[in-house]
Amino acid sequence: MLTSPAMAVTYPIDPVLPEITAAFRTNPVVIIQAPPGAGKTTRVPPALMEDLSCRQGKIVMLEPRRLAAVAAARWMARQLGEAVGQTVGYTIRFASRISPATRLEVVTEGILTRRLLDDPTLEGVSLVIFDEFHERSLQADLALALCLDIRRGLREDLKLLVMSATLETERLAALLGNPPVIASPGQSFPVTEHHLSAGERGRERTWEERVTGAIGHALAETAGDILVFLPGSGEIRRVAARLADSPPAREGGLTVHPLYGDLPFAAQEAAIMPGRKRKIVLATNIAETSLTIEGVRVVIDGGLTRRLRYDAASGMNRLVTVRISQAEAIQRRGRAGRVAPGVCYRLYSPHDFQTMTPYPPPEILIADLSALVLELAAWGIKDPASLSWLDPPPAPAWETARELLATLGALDRRGDITTAGRALVRLPLPPRLGCLLLRAAERGCAPLGADLAALLSERDIRRRAPEDRPPAADDADLAARLFLFQDWRQKQRRDEKTAPADPAALAAVDRTAAQLRRLVAGSLPSPAVLPGKKPRGPAARRHGPVNNAGNEKHQEGKEEAIAALLLHAYPDRVARRRDGEGNGYLLSGGRGVRLPGESDLKGSAYLVVPRLDGRDKASGLIHLAAAVTEEVIRRELADRLTIRRRVAWDRQGGRILAREEECLGAIVMAERPFPVADGEALPLLCEVVGTREVLLDFRPEVRQFQGRVALLRRTFPEESWPDLSEAVLLNDPEIWLAPWLTGIRTAAQLTRLDLLPALRATLSPTQRRLLDERAPIALTVPSGRRLPLDYTAGPAPVLAVKLQEMFGLAATPTVAGGRATVVIHLLSPAGRPVQITEDLQGFWERGYPQVKKELQGRYPKHPWPDDPWSAVPTARTGRRRQNS
C-alpha cells in the first residue's frame, strides 16, 4: 500500500482492499459495489497500482465527468505526495496532465473510446477501470463492449474492473462471465429525512420558492454546509439570485457556489473545496457521485434531473426535466452522511419516492446513437449484435443513426466507414458539428466554424426573458447570436443589466471555441478527405476562402458563410416557408415547424434549423435557425437535389396536372409543367374513376347493354359471362377502361367518353354473337313494328306495347333461348300501362274483357273487338270497321 501523510484518513473501503488485490491475481475481471463515500474512486486504483508491476503496464480509469476525473487525479497525486501529472495524471477533453512516468491515468469517456479506436490492443495498458458504471452513460457502455471485444480476440491479459454505487449486479456479472463481486458497506453515519411536499406552509409556491424555503429551514435548523440538487444551470442561477438577497448572504456569513458541468474548473473546484464561511452548493446531478464536497452535512433534494433523450420526431437529442430514480435519491441522501450525521430535506412525499423507477434508464436506450454507430463503424462493426452489451442499442435508433451518418458522408451505402467518417471520429464533437468544423477548415474559415460549433455545443448564450416579457425578435436567429458572441469577445466587457447575454455561457463558448481553433490548427486532416462535394469555379471563388468572421467586410457575406457551413452539418434540416404562413415552414424531412413569435427570421424563404423542439409531432418549434438563400442551397447541396416527376389530379380544375419538380427531400425548390404520357396518365385516371371523383356517363344504351349481359349471366350460369355491374366495373376500371383512355386528361373528357365500345370489348366474339341472338335489343310484335326491349327494369326484359298491336298472339315472347320470359306492359291508346303480364293467353281470356269494358268508352275510335284472337293487330290510332 502506498503511504503518505495524506493517507492518515481511513475510508470504508480500506478493509476490503487486500481482497480486491488478491482477486485480481487470479481473475481478469472484478466487480466492486460500494455506495458513495466509500472511497472506491481514490483508494482502489492506487492499491492496484502498487500490486501491478511497471512491466505489466499502466492503469486507465474511466470517469464520466471532467470535474470528477481531474479531482480524483489530484487527490490521488496528493496521497503520493506528488504533483498531478507524475505517477498519477489525467486526460480530459482539450486538456492533459501526464508524463512518461504516469502509471495511473484518469480519463473521461470519450477519451478512452478514441484511444481504443486508435490502438485496438491498448498497448501498454494492463487494467481498465470503469468508475461510477451505474450511471450507464453511452460512452461507458460502448467502452466496456469494446474492451470485452479486445479481451476475446486480442488481449486475454487485459484486466477489467467495474465499480458501481448502485447497480443490478446480477446482470452485469452475467455479462462479464460471473467474476468475483466485492462489496463495501460505505459510510455508516445516519441521515435524518424530512419530506416537504408542495402543499405545506399554507400555499402553493413556485418550485424555486419551495427550494429557497427549504434552504431557509436548513440554515435555521442545522449546521454545516448545504448541498442542493437542482435539475440544471437555469434553476441554479434563479435560486442563486434569490439567495443573494437573503439576510445571511447580505451579512457576509454565507457563500453560494453553483456547480454544473459548464462552469470553469476554477469555479467548480471552489464549490467542492472547504471554505471559511458556511457554504451552499447549488448543484446538478454532477454531485451525486464521484465528487466529495467537503463539509456537507445537509442535502436538499429537489427530486428532478435533466436527461438527454433522443426525439425521433426532431431527429435529435434534447434535454428533458424528469423525476429522479430511487437509486439517485438514495445517492443524494448519502451525501449528507459522508463525514458525520446529516439531514436530508426532500421536496417530494414518501409516496412519490415509492413511485419512482428503481434505476435511471441507460443512456444507450434513450439517446442519439450517431456517435456510437460511427465509432463502431471505425471499429469494423456494422451489426451491434456482434458485441456484448448490458443493454443492446435499440434497432430503430441504430437505423436512424446510420441514415444520418450516410447523409453526412461518414458511411457508405454498405454501412462501412468512409475516409471522411474516420476524420469525424477523431473530433471531440458530435458527428454533425464535426462535419461543420471539417467543412470550415476546408473552406479556409476554421475560426468561424469553431465559433459556430462552440455555440451549438454549449448552452444558449442568450438570457432567458422574464415570464412577463416576450422574447426578443432574434431569439431564434443563430447568426445574431454569433455576432453577439463575437462582439463580446472583442470587447471582453458587457453591462450585465442590459446585455441580452449570459456572461457565464459566453465564457464557456469562448473556451470551447478557442480549444476547437487549436484543434483545427494542429490536428485536422487534409481537405481531400472531407465529406461532400467541393464547389468549383465561380462558386468556389464566391464563397471562399473566408477569413476569421471578425475580419469579414460585409455582414451579408458572414451570414452566407454561416448558412453554407450549417447546410453541411444539417442537410436534413433545411426548411421552406409555407405559402400563406408567416411563421410556418416545411422541413426537407417532411415535418412542419414554426418560428417563435415575431422572429427576425420571419419572412425568410429558406432556413437551416440546427435546433428545434420535437415535443409537438405535428409542428415543432424552431429554437435556433439561420436564413439561407436558394442560391446557397443549390450550390452547397447540389448533389442532394433530385428531379421528381409528379402526375396528380387537380380536383378544383378537374384535370391531370403534370409537374417536374426539383426537390430537396420534401421541399420543392422549383417546378415546371411537362406533357404527360398515356402511361403516366392512365393509372391516375383509373384511380379517379374508381374513387367516384369523376362520374362516368352510363347512358341508356350502356345500361341496356349491361342488362342484356346480366340476363345471360343469370340464365346461362354454365357459361363465363362477365359481371358488368357498375359497382364491379368501378372497383376495377384498369381491367376494362384503361385501353379507351388514350388522350384523355380532363374530367370533361371522361364524362363524354362512350363506354359502350369498352364494355363490348369485354366480351369475346362468340359472346357478342350470342348476346345479339339471345338478348336482342328489340322484338317484332304482331302489328309488324319492331319495338325495343328494356333490360334495365328488372331481372326480366320488358316489352312496352299497345294492347291493339298484340291482337291474335297467344304465346308470351321469350328470349335467352327460351330461358327468360318477356314481361309485357300492355298500354292504352294513350300509352299508359293497363296490364302487366307474363301470361298473354291468360290475359286475353280473363283480363281483356274487363279492360275493354273500362276503356272502350274512353277510346271509342280504337278497335275493341269481342274476339281478340281473330282481330287484326294494328298500330293505328284511328278506328277501323271490323266484322263483329
Side-chain angles (χ1 to χ4, degrees):
M1 175 71 67
L2 297 170
T3 59
S4 76
M7 292 185 64
V9 178
T10 60
Y11 291 85
I13 205 166
D14 286 349
V16 299
L17 290 178
E19 183 182 353
I20 295 170
T21 56
F24 264 112
R25 296 189 190 110
T26 55
N27 297 278
V29 181
V30 174
I31 297 173
I32 295 177
Q33 185 172 13
K40 58 185 179 298
T41 299
T42 55
R43 302 295 275 177
V44 172
L48 294 174
M49 183 175 62
E50 183 181 76
D51 199 60
L52 292 171
S53 69
C54 296
R55 289 175 307 199
Q56 291 175 284
K58 70 178 181 180
I59 298 173
V60 173
M61 182 167 75
L62 186 69
E63 281 293 334
R65 297 181 178 85
R66 287 177 285 175
L67 177 61
V70 173
R74 288 178 175 173
W75 185 261
M76 289 185 287
R78 282 200 298 269
Q79 287 181 328
L80 300 175
E82 298 178 352
V84 69
Q86 297 180 28
T87 304
V88 180
Y90 65 82
T91 301
I92 61 174
R93 185 189 185 202
F94 301 127
S96 181
R97 293 287 297 276
I98 59 173
S99 67
T102 300
R103 295 184 57 206
L104 172 56
E105 182 182 5
V106 187
V107 302
T108 44
E109 294 168 335
I111 299 297
L112 177 57
T113 302
R114 281 188 290 277
R115 190 169 295 178
L116 285 164
L117 296 176
D118 290 338
D119 178 17
T121 64
L122 281 183
E123 186 71 27
V125 175
S126 62
L127 170 63
V128 178
I129 301 175
F130 294 83
D131 194 21
E132 309 296 354
F133 191 74
H134 60 272
E135 294 193 12
R136 296 298 309 282
S137 70
L138 183 64
Q139 285 292 322
D141 276 15
L142 172 60
L144 181 60
L146 296 182
C147 285
L148 291 174
D149 197 40
I150 290 173
R151 276 189 45 79
R152 280 194 299 266
L154 299 172
R155 289 278 313 274
E156 291 184 358
D157 63 317
L158 181 66
K159 295 180 181 292
L160 303 178
L161 171 61
V162 180
M163 300 196 298
S164 170
T166 56
L167 189 67
E168 298 169 279
T169 309
E170 295 79 9
R171 293 181 61 224
L172 179 61
L175 175 71
L176 299 179
N178 296 308
V181 178
I182 301 173
S184 172
Q187 194 65 270
S188 59
F189 293 109
V191 176
T192 303
E193 292 184 14
H194 299 284
H195 292 271
L196 305 177
S197 62
E200 290 186 11
R201 306 296 175 183
R203 64 183 180 91
E204 292 291 333
R205 295 173 293 170
T206 66
W207 197 79
E208 282 84 1
E209 286 177 333
R210 293 178 56 210
V211 171
T212 52
I215 293 173
H217 299 321
L219 288 172
E221 299 170 1
T222 64
D225 294 340
I226 301 173
L227 174 60
V228 185
F229 284 101
L230 301 170
S233 58
E235 291 84 355
I236 288 174
R237 289 193 295 273
R238 290 193 290 273
V239 172
R242 288 178 176 274
L243 292 176
D245 293 333
S246 64
R250 289 197 301 268
E251 294 167 4
L254 184 69
T255 60
V256 178
H257 296 271
L259 181 58
Y260 51 89
D262 290 338
L263 279 177
F265 274 121
Q268 294 185 24
E269 287 186 317
I272 65 175
M273 297 304 292
R276 297 180 180 178
K277 300 178 181 179
R278 192 175 189 186
K279 179 170 60 177
I280 298 177
V281 179
L282 307 176
T284 62
N285 59 359
I286 191 174
E288 285 178 4
T289 57
S290 301
L291 297 174
T292 297
I293 302 177
E294 300 290 338
V296 168
R297 298 275 299 278
V298 181
V299 164
I300 297 175
D301 177 13
L304 301 175
T305 190
R306 295 262 206 278
R307 297 204 202 287
L308 203 62
R309 285 186 177 171
Y310 177 71
D311 177 47
S314 65
M316 64 186 297
N317 283 333
R318 64 185 178 94
L319 282 171
V320 294
T321 302
V322 297
R323 288 203 304 172
I324 60 174
S325 65
Q326 290 180 354
E328 290 166 307
I330 293 169
Q331 290 168 17
R332 291 181 175 188
R333 179 191 63 187
R335 290 285 158 176
R338 285 278 182 105
V339 295
V343 179
C344 176
Y345 294 91
R346 287 179 165 167
L347 303 187
Y348 48 89
S349 68
H351 174 74
D352 291 335
F353 175 81
Q354 295 299 324
T355 59
M356 290 174 177
T357 59
Y359 298 96
E363 193 174 296
I364 198 170
L365 299 181
I366 59 176
D368 172 32
L369 300 184
S370 57
L372 179 141
V373 173
L374 181 62
E375 288 159 343
L376 286 181
W379 190 258
I381 296 293
K382 297 181 187 179
D383 182 4
S386 60
L387 294 178
S388 299
W389 304 90
L390 196 54
D391 290 285
W398 177 273
E399 289 304 318
T400 300
R402 285 190 61 179
E403 291 172 7
L404 171 62
L405 293 171
T407 299
L408 296 177
L411 299 181
D412 62 20
R413 293 180 179 179
R414 297 172 301 176
D416 294 321
I417 191 168
T418 62
T419 305
R422 293 194 181 278
L424 290 176
V425 167
R426 293 196 288 271
L427 296 176
L429 289 169
R432 287 188 188 271
L433 298 185
C435 188
L436 184 152
L437 191 59
L438 291 177
R439 180 64 59 180
E442 175 199 4
R443 296 290 178 82
C445 55
L448 173 62
D451 287 350
L452 278 174
L455 278 170
L456 291 169
S457 61
E458 300 294 337
R459 76 171 188 270
D460 194 356
I461 64 172
R462 290 295 304 264
R463 294 182 186 273
R464 292 190 178 273
E467 294 179 3
D468 59 346
R469 198 176 75 213
D474 62 349
D475 261 3
D477 191 345
L478 180 57
R481 281 171 171 73
L482 179 71
F483 301 146
L484 174 66
F485 165 65
Q486 291 176 339
D487 181 60
W488 171 87
R489 183 169 57 195
Q490 288 176 358
K491 296 179 180 179
Q492 286 293 303
R493 56 184 175 82
R494 279 289 180 191
D495 184 344
E496 294 186 8
K497 294 182 179 179
T498 59
D502 180 344
L506 285 165
V509 171
D510 193 31
R511 287 193 303 273
T512 300
Q515 291 160 343
L516 290 176
R517 286 196 300 273
R518 288 194 293 271
L519 180 64
V520 169
S523 61
L524 277 188
S526 164
V529 306
L530 300 180
K533 294 184 178 179
K534 304 176 181 64
R536 301 177 183 274
R541 292 192 295 273
R542 192 163 54 244
H543 184 81
V546 181
N547 298 321
N548 189 333
N551 297 325
E552 290 285 347
K553 293 181 180 180
H554 304 291
Q555 178 169 314
E556 187 174 315
K558 289 191 287 186
E559 291 178 348
E560 181 176 316
I562 292 168
L565 293 178
L566 291 172
L567 284 174
H568 290 280
Y570 300 91
D572 55 333
R573 300 275 185 81
V574 179
R576 181 175 183 174
R577 188 161 61 92
R578 295 182 186 271
D579 293 337
E581 295 186 34
N583 284 27
Y585 284 78
L586 174 68
L587 282 175
S588 53
R591 183 165 176 251
V593 292
R594 54 191 170 82
L595 282 168
E598 294 299 320
S599 171
D600 279 351
L601 295 173
K602 181 179 180 181
S604 300
Y606 291 94
L607 301 173
V608 55
V609 186
R611 193 172 297 165
L612 54 89
D613 187 349
R615 283 176 288 187
D616 185 351
K617 293 183 179 180
S619 179
L621 182 65
I622 296 173
H623 289 309
L624 279 181
V628 59
T629 64
E630 182 175 333
E631 178 189 9
V632 173
I633 294 172
R634 290 183 176 278
R635 186 183 69 219
E636 300 298 327
L637 301 182
D639 58 329
R640 301 184 190 277
L641 296 177
T642 59
I643 300 297
R644 182 171 61 206
R645 290 165 66 92
R646 183 183 294 276
V647 180
W649 183 258
D650 177 12
R651 290 184 177 181
Q652 187 173 0
R655 64 178 59 246
I656 291 177
L657 289 181
R659 294 287 186 269
E660 189 173 75
E661 299 173 342
E662 191 176 18
C663 301
L664 180 66
I667 294 175
V668 178
M669 306 285 292
E671 61 179 6
R672 50 191 170 272
F674 70 90
V676 62
D678 284 327
E680 294 176 287
L682 295 185
L684 186 59
L685 291 170
C686 289
E687 181 182 343
V688 298
V689 167
T691 58
R692 282 67 165 177
E693 195 164 327
V694 175
L695 299 179
L696 297 177
D697 185 5
F698 285 86
R699 301 177 182 124
E701 59 269 27
V702 175
R703 299 291 189 191
Q704 292 297 328
F705 185 86
Q706 291 174 291
R708 293 166 66 200
V709 175
L711 175 67
L712 296 190
R713 179 178 169 84
R714 289 193 300 271
T715 55
F716 290 89
E718 69 276 12
E719 298 177 1
S720 300
W721 289 91
D723 184 351
L724 298 185
S725 62
E726 184 174 341
V728 170
L729 291 174
L730 294 183
N731 283 341
D732 224 346
E734 294 88 350
I735 293 178
W736 64 281
L737 188 61
W740 305 87
L741 297 178
T742 301
I744 290 180
R745 300 293 182 267
T746 69
Q749 291 173 316
L750 272 175
T751 56
R752 290 197 301 266
L753 182 64
D754 184 1
L755 303 181
L756 193 54
L759 294 184
R760 286 190 65 85
T762 63
L763 304 182
S764 68
T766 300
Q767 286 177 320
R768 288 196 289 270
R769 177 178 58 81
L770 291 174
L771 180 69
D772 293 338
E773 292 176 1
R774 296 172 177 173
I777 59 175
L779 287 178
T780 301
V781 298
S783 67
R785 284 207 303 161
R786 187 167 176 80
L787 299 179
L789 288 171
D790 184 1
Y791 288 88
T792 66
V798 171
L799 175 66
V801 58
K802 289 183 179 180
L803 182 149
Q804 284 78 6
E805 294 189 67
M806 300 296 285
F807 288 157
L809 182 63
T812 307
T814 63
V815 293
R819 296 189 184 187
T821 300
V822 175
V823 177
I824 300 175
H825 287 205
L826 294 170
L827 307 179
S828 71
R832 297 186 179 89
V834 296
Q835 185 74 32
I836 297 175
T837 182
E838 295 180 55
D839 179 8
L840 192 57
Q841 181 177 349
F843 168 73
W844 294 128
E845 293 175 349
R846 295 181 294 277
Y848 175 72
Q850 183 64 32
V851 170
K852 175 185 176 182
K853 180 180 178 180
E854 292 177 359
L855 297 182
Q856 185 175 19
R858 192 181 306 171
Y859 302 101
K861 294 182 179 182
H862 290 74
W864 298 98
D866 293 332
D867 182 9
W869 300 102
S870 59
V872 177
T874 179
R876 296 177 62 184
T877 58
R879 181 177 182 181
R880 293 187 302 170
R881 294 183 179 274
Q882 301 180 31
N883 294 324
S884 58

